[in-house]
Amino acid sequence: MVQDRIIKTEYSEVMQKSYIDYAMSVIVARALPDVRDGLKPVQRRVLYDMHELGIRSDRPYRKCARIVGDTMGKYHPHGDSSIYDALVVMAQEFKKGLPLVDGHGNFGNIEGDGAAAMRYTEARLQKITEEAFLADLDKDVVDFVPNFDETEKEPSVLPVKVPNLLINGSEGIAVGMATSIPPHNLGEVIDAVKAYMNDNNITTRELMRYMKGPDFPTGGIVINKDELAEIYETGVGKVKLRGKVEIEKGKGGKTNVVITEIPYTMIGMGIGKFLSDVAALAETKKTQDIVDIMNQSSKEGIRIVIELRRDADVQNFINMLYKKTRLEDTFGVNMLAISHGRPETLGLKAIIRECVEFQFEVATRKYTNLLEKEQEKKEIQEGLIKACNVIDLVIEILRGSKDRPMAKACLVDGKTEGIKFRSKASLAMAAQLRFTEKQANAILEMRLYKLIGLELQALIKDHEETMANIYRYEDILDRRDSMAQVIVQELESFKKSYGRKRKTVIENGEAAVFEEKKIEEMDVVFLMDRFGYCRTVDSATYERNKEAADAENRFVFTCKNTGRVCLFTAGGQLHTLKVMDVPFGKFRDKGVPVDNISNFNIEKENLIYATSQTELNLYRVLFVTKQSMVKIVDGGEFDVMKRTVASTKLLEGDEVLSVEPFIDQKSVVLQSRDGYFLRFAVEEISAMKKAAVGTKGMKLSEGDEVEAVYYTRAGVEQTIEYKGKKMELGKLKSGARAGKGVKVRV
């Protein structure tokens, strides 16, 4: 029955187990590199597939689409974009200290432009990838496992002969964890490995005599040298980076600040962001030293030129770049990798130890395999030499035998039944033959030219070489020192062939200190039109154009250029913006949309009132909502630095209708949509905090709401127009707060 096969279990337990399985799958099978070869599964599969396709460094390039398709079909069924992205990164010299793929075509650039589509680009393996990553795969040095559909076999790890995890670094985001390992100099890493192999008790600080610190492909300067030892000890920390800056003489006595190397973290869109940040420093008057900014970067390298004024304080300007832009940045280090099948945060020494142990494991399997093959060769060679010594007897056996099995039985076991011999002596000698199976097969397949004297001498020479190889391989396998010597020799050859000078400078840099020039405080007039475009002008310009300014703009008020502007919305939000962020210029300048320089959304929010923060501090503020909630709030509560805060608390479905500073108002007049007017003294409105809802201002009928708010002042007659007729507010009967008011019939 079906009911007998139903398994009842707790839903939360199923979800927990499923999520853990999913998380571990992402961690181990996709996002994190293996400490042994320093590769993620997708990278390993791409390289192995290229090896299988024969796309070597000395052969023509092949289309990346072919490589990606073959990899996806055989080994990595997770989509072509992830495979192509991995292939592209392994070919980008500005991302990898040691590129593993030789790319041909547009593989992107350091400024963030992506690679061309895979149907246009081509690739092949780098020579070092063949020599240090894929060599010896045919010698049973690593385990092969079934692919996703068990139709192919793939290596569980590549037999990498250098600590690739340190040389190329790695970045990846898994579930609940992430890895971030900086790249290092190949020569220095090899020197550190050799030092560890000479002394397994070496400390991390001693290893750093050989491996100074990260060596980024983009160069730059690491400025926290003293903190690196702690980072490499724990595997976690922050590397502080700076770009390389040079000072050149410009035209007309001006000075050019030239950035020739950038922090590794600026790869991609970071350069464009840096240029916009420098431009923003000039636009916001943080500095007035900048004359021009030019990005002259090319394939030859980075070159960003900032032209300064003649009297500029160059060092102070450079320090400002370090403080205000990403020219000084941090690289977060978290050396997390898969070790023995599980994720683990490893220090420098632990990574080197794991890589060295892996080298010994690979070397053991390699030389065991080679020894077995040499021993097989030895057996056959000895059989052929022995056969050559009794070649006449062998020929007599072959001629006298009826078939191959009869001849083989005689060679192996000395069985002479059925074989015709010329003499009894030959029969007696044949009965004593004891060749092995392999030797007998080799003798039966031997060609006659092997009997030539020179060929026999060559056979003897090959046998001597085979014996020498057997002795060497047995020595390597029996003595760890001999195996270590072989590993070190390979490492030295890689260093000699592929080592390069360090690009990144390691030092203890001084903290960037710059004196920010104080802005001269002055009064400006803030103008915002009905479309939300705002600007500031000086007071004299406003006075000359006062009539036009008041007529064309929705909000006009005076404020300090160092102050802030407050924007109150119908939704009860208060948005603030710095006056310095508002363009200052001529009266007819268009300005910028207010939502470009603040959190205010002109499409979704309704702006009720705008004023300067300084003015709010001088007064209390009157609030009125559509549901007739009123209150007075001290203006100091709106003296905030946050870009957005709640200006008041609203009931469900309510909106702010009016916000106004309380200066000399005597009474407030509320007009409802149904035509009721209520006039009462402002003193009846309670003072509350901005987080309060307020008190009832007017009693409203069901479905009615406050439509307009008016204020009267002593000695001032105020007339409004209501449904085409004029009304004097001062003549309205004065009532009490929370009253119904009087209905005005027109």
Side-chain angles (χ1 to χ4, degrees):
M1 294 178 65
V2 175
Q3 291 181 352
D4 295 338
R5 296 198 297 269
I6 295 176
I7 300 172
K8 293 184 179 181
T9 184
E10 180 65 33
Y11 182 74
S12 60
E13 292 178 5
V14 175
M15 290 298 295
Q16 185 179 19
K17 183 180 182 303
S18 300
Y19 188 77
I20 290 173
D21 291 344
Y22 160 74
M24 288 305 298
S25 174
V26 172
I27 290 166
V28 177
R30 294 182 74 170
L32 300 185
D34 193 299
V35 68
R36 296 171 293 176
D37 61 5
L39 298 171
K40 299 178 186 179
V42 65
Q43 296 170 325
R44 186 180 304 118
R45 287 163 176 166
V46 168
L47 295 179
Y48 178 67
D49 186 75
M50 293 176 73
H51 173 73
E52 287 292 286
L53 291 173
I55 313 175
R56 314 290 167 80
S57 61
D58 56 352
R59 297 183 184 179
Y61 295 94
R62 297 283 288 277
K63 285 287 185 184
C64 290
R66 170 65 194 278
I67 299 168
V68 170
D70 203 62
T71 303
M72 182 167 60
K74 288 182 178 179
Y75 310 116
H76 196 76
H78 298 298
D80 56 358
S81 61
S82 63
I83 300 171
Y84 186 51
D85 288 346
L87 176 64
V88 167
V89 169
M90 287 192 290
Q92 291 176 327
E93 294 183 353
F94 53 85
K95 281 192 178 178
K96 293 294 181 183
L98 185 69
L100 305 179
V101 173
D102 180 9
H104 182 66
N106 177 12
F107 273 77
N109 59 36
I110 197 170
E111 295 189 39
D113 297 325
M118 69 180 97
R119 60 182 178 274
Y120 301 119
T121 55
E122 299 176 332
R124 64 185 178 189
L125 291 170
Q126 291 278 12
K127 189 176 181 182
I128 188 172
T129 312
E130 298 172 17
E131 296 176 355
F133 285 69
L134 297 162
D136 303 330
L137 272 174
D138 57 340
K139 296 181 178 65
D140 190 34
V141 291
V142 294
D143 294 331
F144 277 71
V145 295
N147 69 338
F148 62 92
D149 60 359
E150 298 187 357
T151 58
E152 302 278 347
K153 292 280 189 179
E154 61 175 311
S156 59
V157 63
L158 291 186
V160 179
K161 298 178 181 178
V162 293
N164 180 54
L165 188 66
L166 290 173
I167 294 168
N168 271 330
S170 185
E171 290 185 16
I173 300 174
V175 178
M177 57 183 68
T179 184
S180 180
I181 304 172
H184 297 83
N185 184 273
L186 180 138
E188 292 182 4
V189 172
I190 288 175
D191 289 341
V193 171
K194 288 161 56 181
Y196 173 81
M197 292 177 70
N198 289 331
D199 178 13
N200 291 350
N201 295 320
I202 192 170
T203 65
T204 300
R205 289 183 182 274
E206 289 171 338
L207 283 171
M208 290 182 65
R209 294 177 187 172
Y210 306 94
M211 199 189 82
K212 309 295 182 186
D215 186 23
F216 296 101
T218 55
I221 305 168
V222 171
I223 61 169
N224 59 334
K225 180 180 179 181
D226 289 345
E227 297 176 13
L228 294 182
E230 179 67 19
I231 293 172
Y232 284 120
E233 185 70 42
T234 61
V236 178
K238 290 183 179 180
V239 175
K240 294 181 182 177
L241 289 168
R242 280 182 185 170
K244 186 177 179 182
V245 179
E246 297 177 358
I247 299 172
E248 298 178 357
K249 289 185 178 180
K251 297 178 181 179
K254 297 175 184 175
T255 302
N256 289 342
V257 171
V258 183
I259 292 127
T260 56
E261 295 177 5
I262 60 171
Y264 186 68
T265 51
M266 272 176 61
I267 289 176
M269 302 307 293
I271 294 178
K273 178 70 166 59
F274 170 73
L275 294 171
S276 63
D277 287 345
V278 174
L281 292 174
E283 290 174 1
T284 58
K285 304 295 189 295
K286 286 282 192 306
T287 178
Q288 297 180 350
D289 294 336
I290 299 174
V291 176
D292 195 10
I293 309 169
M294 295 163 283
N295 185 6
Q296 300 175 355
S297 303
S298 63
K299 291 182 179 179
E300 282 68 42
I302 297 294
R303 182 176 170 83
I304 300 170
V305 182
I306 304 173
E307 187 178 352
L308 303 183
R309 295 187 315 176
R310 296 178 189 174
D311 58 345
D313 184 340
V314 178
Q315 191 56 51
N316 190 60
F317 177 78
I318 293 172
N319 287 345
M320 182 178 67
L321 292 181
Y322 288 146
K323 295 289 284 185
K324 297 291 185 180
T325 71
R326 290 186 66 185
L327 193 61
E328 179 176 315
D329 206 354
T330 57
F331 181 94
V333 176
N334 185 25
M335 297 201 288
L336 182 71
I338 301 298
S339 174
H340 303 290
R342 64 181 186 182
E344 189 174 344
T345 301
L346 304 166
L348 172 62
K349 184 178 176 181
I351 291 175
I352 292 177
R353 181 181 63 247
E354 295 267 7
C355 291
V356 169
E357 289 304 315
F358 179 60
Q359 289 308 309
F360 276 100
E361 179 187 333
V362 168
T364 300
R365 294 179 65 164
K366 173 184 175 180
Y367 287 105
T368 300
N369 182 275
L370 289 175
L371 179 60
E372 290 173 357
K373 289 183 178 179
E374 291 298 316
Q375 287 172 337
E376 287 180 9
K377 284 172 63 178
K378 172 197 169 191
E379 180 183 344
I380 293 171
Q381 288 168 349
E382 288 177 345
L384 292 176
I385 292 170
K386 181 180 175 182
C388 287
N389 292 333
V390 290
I391 191 64
D392 292 335
L393 177 61
V394 171
I395 293 172
E396 193 172 340
I397 293 170
L398 295 177
R399 292 183 67 181
S401 300
K402 293 180 180 180
D403 52 26
R404 181 187 174 106
M406 182 180 289
K408 184 178 178 181
C410 182
L411 292 172
V412 174
D413 300 320
K415 294 180 180 179
T416 58
E417 292 82 1
I419 301 175
K420 295 179 181 179
F421 291 95
R422 293 180 180 178
S423 64
K424 290 183 178 180
S426 297
L427 176 64
M429 290 176 62
Q432 296 174 7
L433 293 177
R434 291 296 184 272
F435 289 99
T436 65
E437 288 270 347
K438 292 179 181 178
Q439 289 174 340
N441 287 329
I443 292 168
L444 292 170
E445 293 169 1
M446 182 177 67
R447 297 188 180 184
L448 290 176
Y449 77 87
K450 290 287 185 181
L451 301 176
I452 300 171
L454 291 176
E455 288 293 330
L456 185 57
Q457 289 178 7
L459 180 61
I460 294 171
K461 187 177 179 181
D462 287 345
H463 181 252
E464 291 173 352
E465 290 179 0
T466 300
M467 292 304 295
N469 287 338
I470 290 173
Y471 174 78
R472 178 168 171 264
Y473 297 156
E474 286 178 341
D475 180 64
I476 291 172
L477 290 169
D478 292 342
R479 296 176 59 241
R480 188 176 175 89
D481 288 347
S482 296
M483 187 177 288
Q485 187 177 0
V486 171
I487 293 171
V488 168
Q489 286 174 353
E490 282 191 327
L491 290 173
E492 287 177 343
S493 69
F494 291 134
K495 178 182 176 182
K496 183 178 180 181
S497 301
Y498 304 105
R500 57 169 176 77
K501 291 183 179 178
R502 163 174 281 278
K503 290 184 177 181
T504 302
V505 177
I506 308 288
E507 64 182 26
N508 283 314
E510 295 181 2
V513 178
F514 80 101
E515 294 181 5
E516 194 166 354
K517 293 182 180 178
K518 292 184 178 180
I519 300 168
E520 184 180 348
E521 190 174 80
M522 59 181 286
D523 286 335
V524 294
V525 179
F526 178 88
L527 307 173
M528 183 192 293
D529 63 22
R530 59 191 180 89
F531 300 107
Y533 281 81
C534 58
R535 64 198 186 280
T536 57
V537 297
D538 60 61
S539 299
T541 300
Y542 169 70
E543 290 299 331
R544 289 195 302 270
N545 302 275
K546 187 176 186 306
E547 187 175 340
D550 293 344
E552 296 172 3
N553 292 284
R554 182 181 176 190
F555 297 106
V556 180
F557 52 84
T558 300
C559 55
K560 297 291 184 183
N561 62 336
T562 55
R564 301 176 79 88
V565 171
C566 295
L567 308 174
F568 292 87
T569 70
Q573 297 294 310
L574 168 64
H575 301 295
T576 68
L577 61 98
K578 293 180 181 179
V579 179
M580 288 299 299
D581 292 340
V582 182
F584 177 82
K586 299 177 182 178
F587 178 71
R588 287 299 171 190
D589 288 346
K590 188 176 182 181
V592 297
V594 68
D595 50 355
N596 282 8
I597 54 177
S598 71
N599 289 344
F600 175 69
N601 190 325
I602 199 168
E603 294 181 357
K604 296 182 179 180
E605 296 181 285
N606 181 22
L607 184 59
I608 298 297
Y609 183 66
T611 188
S612 72
Q613 203 171 61
T614 306
E615 184 178 354
L616 284 177
N617 285 335
L618 299 175
Y619 305 103
R620 294 183 295 167
V621 183
L622 291 158
F623 278 82
V624 181
T625 73
K626 287 188 176 182
Q627 292 184 13
S628 186
M629 305 307 294
V630 297
K631 67 177 178 178
I632 295 178
V633 181
D634 185 84
E637 289 202 42
F638 305 111
D639 188 1
V640 294
M641 299 302 292
K642 288 186 178 180
R643 288 167 63 90
T644 300
V645 296
S647 65
T648 186
K649 185 177 181 180
L650 294 172
L651 297 173
E652 186 177 352
D654 200 4
E655 290 183 13
V656 178
L657 184 65
S658 173
V659 177
E660 190 163 327
F662 182 18
I663 303 174
D664 58 353
Q665 297 92 328
K666 290 296 182 183
S667 61
V668 57
V669 179
L670 304 181
Q671 174 215 319
S672 78
R673 189 176 56 200
D674 289 348
Y676 286 89
F677 283 78
L678 175 64
R679 177 185 168 204
F680 59 89
V682 175
E683 284 76 9
E684 292 191 50
I685 301 177
S686 303
M688 298 182 178
K689 296 290 184 181
K690 67 179 182 180
V693 175
T695 57
K696 202 71 174 176
M698 182 181 189
K699 186 177 181 181
L700 297 171
S701 302
E702 186 176 350
D704 197 7
E705 64 181 17
V706 178
E707 192 175 60
V709 181
Y710 308 102
Y711 295 98
T712 65
R713 290 169 171 80
V716 178
E717 291 186 5
Q718 187 171 357
T719 304
I720 65 168
E721 187 173 309
Y722 178 66
K723 294 187 177 181
K725 290 190 177 183
K726 293 185 178 180
M727 286 179 54
E728 287 188 19
L729 296 178
K731 292 184 178 180
L732 284 172
K733 182 180 178 182
S734 183
R737 182 183 62 77
K740 181 72 173 177
V742 295
K743 187 172 181 67
V744 175
R745 302 183 185 278
V746 179

